[in-house]
Amino acid sequence: MITTGDPHPWAAHELSFGADAYWAQHDAGDDVFYADAAALNRAASRPVVVVAVNGGDEAAGAALPLALGRAGSLLIVCGDPERINALLGAGV
């Protein structure tokens, strides 16, 4: 789960234990992982990637193509369709 605005509460909570522990959970790959769009370059591919376009137009515009590349089978984008279309420059 990638957020483009405010972080998911789970991510904020897990980061309170430190970045090493947080990313160790990601690397284990055995559970849902929540990350900020800015960290998408570090995130590995997953069968399903969900992007919550909840702010940060610049972050969202950069994150959506990267998320598509990380999604093995399915990419789910949540947010205002008009905003998402404007960010991508296409009708989705």
Side-chain angles (χ1 to χ4, degrees):
M1 169 81 162
I2 305 299
T3 57
T4 63
D6 291 334
H8 190 279
W10 180 91
H13 169 75
E14 291 301 319
L15 277 167
S16 72
F17 298 106
D20 290 341
Y22 173 75
W23 285 103
Q25 290 182 8
H26 167 271
D27 296 342
D30 57 359
D31 201 357
V32 175
F33 189 78
Y34 298 85
D36 183 87
L40 192 52
N41 284 331
R42 185 170 176 181
S45 295
R46 299 287 179 137
V48 177
V49 174
V50 177
V51 178
V53 180
N54 64 333
D57 284 352
E58 186 174 320
L64 290 169
L66 286 172
L68 180 59
R70 298 289 191 277
S73 300
L74 181 63
L75 173 64
I76 300 170
V77 180
C78 303
D80 176 29
E82 289 181 21
R83 181 175 175 211
I84 293 166
N85 284 336
L87 290 169
L88 294 174
V92 180

